[in-house]
Amino acid sequence: MAEVCLALVVVGITAYAVLGGADYGAGFWDLTAGGAQRGGRIRGMVQRSMSPVWEANHVWLIFVLVVVWTAFPVAFGSVFSTLAIPLFLAALGIIFRGTAFALRGHAATIREARVLGATFALSSVLVPFSFGAALGGVASGRVPVGNAAGDMVDSWLNPTSLLIGVLAVLTGAYLAAVFLADDSVRAEQPDLARAFRARALGAGAVTGLVAVGGLAVLRSDARALFDGLTSGGGLVLVLISAAAGAVTLALVWTGRFGPARFSAAAAVAAVTVGWVLAQRPYVLPPRLTLDAAAADDTVLTTLVAGLGIGALVLLPSLWYLYRLVLQGRLDQDYEPLDQRFRPLSASDERDAGDAGRAGGAA
Amino acid sequence: MPDAGFLTLAVEQVDGALGRTGGPDALVARRMQALSLAVHIPIVCFGIAFPAMILFVEGLYLRTGDVTYKALAKRWSKVALTLFAVGVVTGTILSFEFGLLWPNFMATFADVFGVGFALEGISFFVEAIFIAIYVYGWDRLGRRAHFLVGVPIVLSGFTGSFWVLGVNAWMNSPTGFTVVDGRVTDPRPLEALLTPNLGHELAHMYLAGYMVTGFIVAGVYAGGWLKGRRDRYHRTALVVTLAFAALASAAQGIVGDWAGRRVADSQPVKLAAFEGLARTQAGAPFTIGGIYDADRGEVRYGIHIPKMLSLLAHHDPNARVTGLDAVPPRDRPPVNVVRVAFQTMVGIGVALGLVGLVFVLTWLRHRRLPRSRWFYRAVVAAGPLSLVALIAGWVATEVGRQPWIVYEVMRTSQAVTRADGLEVGFAVLVAVYAGLAAAVAWLLRRLARRPPETEVAGAPATEASRA
Ligand code: HDD
Ligand code: HEM
Ligand code: HEM
């Protein structure tokens, strides 16, 4: 049963890394899109793609949290007390990201949209970095069992954490570019599709390079993790991930963005599973094993049964949502973010009236 | 201190799974938890109650084909979606705070009550999915399909709060585990989910959700009414929201009485704090207002009603009611905070019940809204008041449970994190929430000022412009 629960956690982390990660990555492209006019088209696409799905995507995080605290309560308490700083930062980032994004849909002037957009975009970088850094702390064996028993700073400001934090940001950006390219094709915006294609290729290449270079960091900073990733099951999955990454690049190169969605997701999934295999049998290396961390069997069985019943409702619902989204039935009319605000008049107040179409993205 | 003569505790107390850690007090952590809840709970009232109101109005549209209803439902659904987003982020903060603030509590008990949260997670998932489909699916799905998509939102809003309240009820009446030598063993998650206190908490909070949503939204339109906006659109909005709020207010008094009796049975010391009752006695009086004086062991300057408390708590004027003296001072909650909060809630509850009554009577007799401007002023005030009652009720419940985090099993001070810097985190959080509140207020004002969507019967999507 402990293994089943661990598998659920892995599924949750993967789903969040892929779906949530892409939403954060979209924020990254929003951030780097350039000035209001030049970036308006990119931002419009980001807004349009994310609006119907980001809340559902976010729930994967909640899912991971509740499964971890129910199935592995001691590990949860230890991680959250020692890694309080990055996790608090992530939580703040989540507030800013979600609120700013939701409000931007109602912005009536370009100035408002800019402030909200900047908040949205900056926090979109902060959150994956913080989560990555926290994960690096666990993976490199810096979180002991106990109430804030580990080092509050070194546990997340260390080479492994920095590496994984940066990789998390890059991976999200890569995924987002692939997804947005596909969405642009569906929205019949070929020039945007080209722009995102270029970004996907660039981000994919950089992510790959950092990942390979990062192995050297792991070798010196987190030897056990390095050994796990370069032998046995860990190695197999790392290779699968690399292969999936390469396939994705090829698909993007040739403009087949639909299948690229799935191979990109597979690359992330493989590396997540690889990480879990690499630190087997530990949940919190170097001491707390899976069996020692797992809650009583009654709890695990009830949890799995409950989630199983829930899945009977949830999976069809998810299928329905993504089907509607991928069929374009929920698509909003595409409009560049800055377009909504033309013509700009001197007074924002009057603007709000002129730009009555603002409700469209709400 | 020798405990002889005091009430024996129901269950043996535990040592935390992360050791006997924690500080002497958990004040900052408590403030942070309370702050975050005080932000989250008002927002989620809209998640509980708004979908049902929206669906009701959409149902009217389907039956009559009158586009006013559609415009209203559409507008409300956009508000609901935005508030849902804020509910999501503030709820996420709460989930993080469980670990950030109370790691030892989680490490010790999360397995016992965690399944509830897992199911809660599923509920929110479903809610998030369908609310998105609903709002983005206006005019894109068939009319009937669109209505049906709303149904799971209502259901999952209910089940979501069901599971959270299950956990809170469990903290107040913990069951489903055994304590052996200070360690928690034999967790029985199903038993922990369905504790005796769940029934009244669920009903009471659910009704509170309808009151808060109903009165706040009605207040917005009542404000418009006072300024002369009295077209069909505004009238419909007022009637629907007031009807929900009035019915909920009437039921709330009954459920509140039930809650009081459950507290009298399961947490007698908390009830004693609600009432400022120092000594255990038969035929206990009920006191309105006043301040509890711990040195004298009595409420001063209040209005005493003989035997009333016994009557309310046990439905028997001569029943024995447990006083604060049943437990040693260190096991008593801060009486005045709890008592003022409790009396505030009940007072507001009665007042709002009256507002609801005026509405219902006028409607039944004349099929119209009341004419007096005072009625509309009262409705404008009712929104904020219902919020105050909501928070006050939670303060009474949660502060009334202190010093326990798990009633009579684990102390709050033992559960708290040992990480430093909570003060910094608290200050940051205050600033962030202030910003959040400003942003939401800004948004709601903007939405309220925008004119209603123009809906043309049978026509596809037309977004309003203020031309
Ligand atoms: C709109 C809000 C509202 C209103 C008008 C009332 N309440 Fe309430 N009350 C709450 C909102 C609330 C709550 C949602 O905040 C609480 C906190 C915990 C809970 O389950 O509901 C609560 C708790 C609560 C408790 C403690 C339950 C516990 O500790 O388990 C009691 C005894 C009452 N209430 C009694 C009343 C009475 C007699 C009312 C008279 C009309 C009343 N409430 C009106
Ligand atoms: C891990 C779980 C929880 C812990 C550790 C916890 C602990 C606390 C503490 C210590 C306080 C502050 C009391 C004070 O100010 O003295 C508090 C307040 C409160 N809690 Fe809980 N609680 C938890 C779960 C819940 C749940 C599940 C709910 C609701 C369903 C809830 C609702 C509240 C409310 C509404 C307040 C008071 C808000 C205010 O003062 O404005 N709590 N909680
Ligand atoms: C300590 C207590 C609580 C925690 C940890 C918590 C956690 C959460 C989380 C994580 C979400 C977001 C779900 C998502 O991602 O979609 C959420 C939303 C929600 N919560 Fe809470 N919550 C708490 C208290 C409450 C209480 C007291 C209620 C009311 C009874 C409540 C009702 C809801 C509802 C209805 C939503 C849906 C969002 C919305 O409608 O705005 N929660 N909560």
Side-chain angles (χ1 to χ4, degrees):
Chain A
M1 268 304 152
E3 284 80 9
V4 178
C5 290
L6 182 66
L8 288 174
V9 174
V10 172
V11 169
I13 293 184
T14 306
Y16 187 59
V18 172
L19 299 167
D23 290 341
Y24 292 116
F28 180 85
W29 298 122
D30 198 292
L31 182 65
T32 51
Q37 284 183 19
R38 204 158 54 82
R41 295 180 48 79
I42 296 241
R43 296 198 175 98
M45 201 63 217
V46 167
Q47 187 85 17
R48 176 184 179 278
S49 288
M50 270 178 70
S51 293
V53 290
W54 73 269
E55 280 157 334
N57 291 344
H58 175 82
V59 191
W60 285 109
L61 172 65
I62 309 297
F63 176 83
V64 172
L65 286 182
V66 297
V67 175
V68 171
W69 81 44
T70 310
F72 312 105
V74 171
F76 179 81
S78 307
V79 167
F80 267 71
S81 51
T82 291
L83 290 169
I85 299 173
L87 292 171
F88 185 64
L89 289 177
L92 289 181
I94 287 171
I95 303 195
F96 283 124
R97 199 275 303 236
T99 315
F101 183 77
L103 295 185
R104 186 166 72 168
H106 298 279
T109 66
I110 187 81
R111 240 201 5 245
E112 285 172 4
R114 263 214 207 118
V115 172
L116 290 169
T119 313
F120 157 66
L122 282 172
S123 45
S124 294
V125 175
L126 176 67
V127 177
F129 178 81
S130 305
F131 279 135
L135 212 143
V138 173
S140 58
R142 287 180 162 96
V143 179
V145 171
N147 188 343
D151 189 312
M152 298 291 295
V153 175
D154 173 65
S155 59
W156 64 284
L157 275 185
N158 61 67
T160 306
S161 287
L162 294 181
L163 171 69
I164 300 185
V166 169
L167 270 178
V169 175
L170 288 173
T171 314
Y174 175 39
L175 289 166
V178 174
F179 292 5
L180 285 164
D182 191 29
D183 290 342
S184 307
V185 172
R186 283 211 333 262
E188 292 162 8
Q189 302 289 332
D191 60 323
L192 276 180
R194 271 195 303 279
F196 284 118
R197 171 176 175 271
R199 285 172 167 75
L201 292 174
V206 173
T207 311
L209 288 177
V210 173
V212 172
L215 284 176
V217 175
L218 293 188
R219 190 159 187 275
S220 69
D221 186 61
R223 189 60 204 230
L225 180 65
F226 176 81
D227 290 345
L229 284 173
T230 51
S231 66
L235 180 62
V236 173
L237 280 149
V238 168
L239 293 178
I240 293 180
S241 175
V247 169
T248 312
L249 279 181
L251 288 171
V252 171
W253 185 269
T254 53
R256 270 168 287 183
F257 303 120
R261 273 180 194 264
F262 295 98
S263 56
V268 176
V271 92
T272 314
V273 177
W275 157 56
V276 172
L277 290 183
Q279 68 170 47
R280 203 174 41 171
Y282 299 107
V283 173
L284 293 185
R287 251 182 277 290
L288 186 68
T289 61
L290 181 66
D291 287 334
D296 199 273
D297 247 357
T298 339
V299 173
L300 301 184
T301 317
T302 319
L303 177 66
V304 172
L307 290 173
I309 295 170
L312 294 181
V313 180
L314 179 59
L315 293 180
S317 310
L318 269 178
W319 175 78
Y320 185 49
L321 174 68
Y322 287 115
R323 197 179 63 127
L324 289 175
V325 167
L326 291 177
Q327 285 174 347
R329 305 258 318 261
L330 300 182
D331 280 356
Q332 309 302 298
D333 298 329
Y334 167 75
E335 83 186 322
L337 198 63
D338 60 329
Q339 287 284 305
R340 295 215 313 250
F341 310 115
R342 285 199 195 112
L344 274 179
S345 60
S347 138
D348 289 358
E349 277 309 312
R350 229 173 323 120
D351 247 26
D354 300 342
R357 295 167 62 211
Chain B
M1 181 197 293
D3 279 4
F6 292 122
L7 212 69
T8 28
L9 298 180
V11 204
E12 218 181 318
Q13 294 176 42
V14 299
D15 301 328
L18 299 182
R20 276 176 170 268
T21 56
D25 76 291
L27 220 56
V28 183
R30 280 167 59 185
R31 297 244 166 85
M32 257 169 113
Q33 178 81 30
L35 173 70
S36 305
L37 282 157
V39 172
H40 181 64
I41 292 178
I43 292 166
V44 301
C45 283
F46 287 83
I48 291 175
F50 218 10
M53 297 185 195
I54 296 170
L55 222 55
F56 180 77
V57 176
E58 192 184 9
L60 290 178
Y61 162 63
L62 288 185
R63 265 195 33 198
T64 62
D66 181 339
V67 286
T68 310
Y69 294 129
K70 183 176 176 194
L72 194 58
K74 209 179 209 181
R75 165 64 54 90
W76 283 358
S77 71
K78 286 183 183 167
V79 177
L81 181 70
T82 307
L83 288 175
F84 183 78
V86 183
V88 168
V89 292
T90 53
T92 307
I93 299 306
L94 280 169
S95 311
F96 273 67
E97 281 182 348
F98 280 4
L100 294 173
L101 301 177
W102 318 105
N104 210 7
F105 164 73
M106 295 304 280
T108 315
F109 285 109
D111 49 349
V112 180
F113 66 72
V115 177
F117 273 113
L119 297 174
E120 187 215 16
I122 301 257
S123 304
F124 290 145
F125 227 137
V126 173
E127 194 173 358
I129 291 170
F130 283 99
I131 205 167
I133 299 180
Y134 187 84
V135 173
Y136 292 102
W138 276 110
D139 302 312
R140 292 185 165 80
L141 303 174
R143 295 204 315 177
R144 183 172 286 272
H146 187 261
F147 180 81
L148 289 179
V149 159
V151 175
I153 311 177
V154 177
L155 296 180
S156 53
F158 174 75
T159 52
S161 32
F162 179 96
W163 303 117
V164 199
L165 291 169
V167 175
N168 189 268
W170 173 85
M171 293 166 69
N172 282 302
S173 54
T175 50
F177 60 93
T178 314
V179 179
V180 179
D181 300 332
R183 287 191 45 236
V184 176
T185 58
D186 187 22
R188 300 179 295 279
L190 284 183
E191 197 183 319
L193 267 184
L194 304 171
T195 60
N197 278 12
L198 175 58
H200 75 261
E201 281 207 19
L202 182 65
H204 202 53
M205 177 67 212
Y206 210 63
L207 291 173
Y210 277 90
M211 289 178 70
V212 168
T213 310
F215 279 124
I216 289 188
V217 179
V220 172
Y221 293 99
W225 194 272
L226 286 170
K227 287 186 208 141
R229 273 178 241 136
R230 305 188 180 181
D231 50 21
R232 250 178 76 67
Y233 180 83
H234 283 81
R235 210 178 81 95
T236 313
L238 257 175
V239 171
V240 171
T241 48
L242 275 177
F244 273 100
L247 294 180
S249 311
Q252 189 69 303
I254 301 167
V255 175
D257 170 62
W258 172 25
R261 279 180 294 126
R262 279 297 317 153
V263 173
D265 289 344
S266 63
Q267 300 176 286
V269 180
K270 188 196 259 185
L271 187 84
F274 284 174
E275 310 295 348
L277 189 69
R279 275 171 294 279
T280 305
Q281 52 193 281
F286 182 75
T287 315
I288 300 172
I291 301 174
Y292 179 77
D293 183 332
D295 296 332
R296 295 212 201 174
E298 63 177 26
V299 177
R300 303 177 66 186
Y301 318 117
I303 305 164
H304 299 269
I305 306 175
K307 301 207 185 211
M308 191 65 183
L309 179 56
S310 291
L311 186 65
L312 286 175
H314 298 288
H315 286 191
D316 166 8
N318 294 312
R320 244 174 99 80
V321 181
T322 307
L324 290 162
D325 61 357
V327 293
R330 69 187 209 109
D331 289 349
R332 295 174 197 164
V335 177
N336 271 319
V337 177
V338 177
R339 189 162 174 279
V340 169
F342 182 72
Q343 298 227 333
T344 307
M345 167 181 65
V346 177
I348 294 177
V350 172
L352 296 183
L354 292 178
V355 174
L357 197 67
V358 171
F359 167 75
V360 171
L361 289 182
T362 318
W363 184 260
L364 287 182
R365 280 240 212 97
H366 308 292
R367 292 272 146 196
R368 61 160 171 80
L369 286 162
R371 294 223 169 96
S372 161
R373 289 182 79 78
W374 282 106
F375 175 77
Y376 296 93
R377 293 193 185 115
V379 173
V380 171
L385 282 177
S386 66
L387 270 186
V388 173
L390 176 79
I391 299 300
W394 278 108
V395 170
T397 301
E398 294 290 291
V399 182
R401 190 187 61 232
Q402 303 303 319
W404 306 102
I405 194 161
V406 182
Y407 192 59
E408 295 186 337
V409 179
M410 184 185 223
R411 280 174 198 281
T412 308
S413 57
Q414 205 186 349
V416 74
T417 182
R418 294 183 68 188
D420 304 321
L422 276 187
E423 293 82 359
V424 180
F426 183 49
V428 172
L429 209 59
V430 170
V432 169
Y433 281 137
L436 188 68
V440 171
W442 169 84
L443 175 75
L444 292 183
R445 259 193 57 213
R446 160 138 312 153
L447 278 175
R449 268 192 296 166
R450 209 179 283 158
E453 280 80 351
T454 24
E455 295 290 345
V456 186
T462 40
E463 202 58 60
S465 80
R466 196 187 263 192

